[in-house]
């Protein structure tokens, strides 16, 4: 398949999101992260997805729920959740 891919998309991922992407990639024996992202896009678009609302920020759309502070950079390790 010779598809024209003229657009570049840059996406910032948390370490957990990147690990989930790599897990998906290796589980499905995909050659690259880009191929895994395209497959996940195809699956997500076929699944219906969600509708955005006014005032919704990009950081509200994460793979994992990171709490009220959203996605933040920190040198400190993530605290374990207590029951």
């Amino acid at each position: 398949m010779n598809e024209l891919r003229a657009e570049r998309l840059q996406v910032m991922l948390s370490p957990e999101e990147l690990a989930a992407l790599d897990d998906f990639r290796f589980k499905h024996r995909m050659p690259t992260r880009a191929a895994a992202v395209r497959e996940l896009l195809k699956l997500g678009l076929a699944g219906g997805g969600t509708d955005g609302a006014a005032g919704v920020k990009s950081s509200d759309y994460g793979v994992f729920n990171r709490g009220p502070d959203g996605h933040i950079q920190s040198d400190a390790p993530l605290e374990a959740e207590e029951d």
Side-chain angles (χ1 to χ4, degrees):
M1 185 182 312
N2 188 9
E3 296 177 21
L4 176 64
R5 293 192 178 124
E7 296 292 326
R8 182 179 297 266
L9 175 66
Q10 184 175 356
V11 178
M12 301 296 291
L13 299 176
S14 70
E16 297 90 351
E17 291 168 332
L18 186 60
L21 176 63
D22 284 340
D23 289 347
F24 176 85
R25 173 188 170 198
F26 294 124
K27 179 180 179 183
H28 296 282
R29 304 178 61 88
M30 305 195 96
T32 63
R33 285 179 174 164
V37 168
R38 285 191 294 273
E39 183 64 17
L40 288 167
L41 279 170
K42 182 172 75 171
L43 293 169
L45 291 170
T50 59
D51 292 327
V56 177
K57 299 178 290 187
S58 178
S59 61
D60 294 332
Y61 291 95
V63 175
F64 302 102
N65 183 2
R66 297 181 62 96
D69 295 329
H71 297 279
I72 58 173
Q73 288 185 338
S74 172
D75 293 335
L78 295 175
E79 296 180 30
E81 292 183 26
E82 295 182 9
D83 293 23

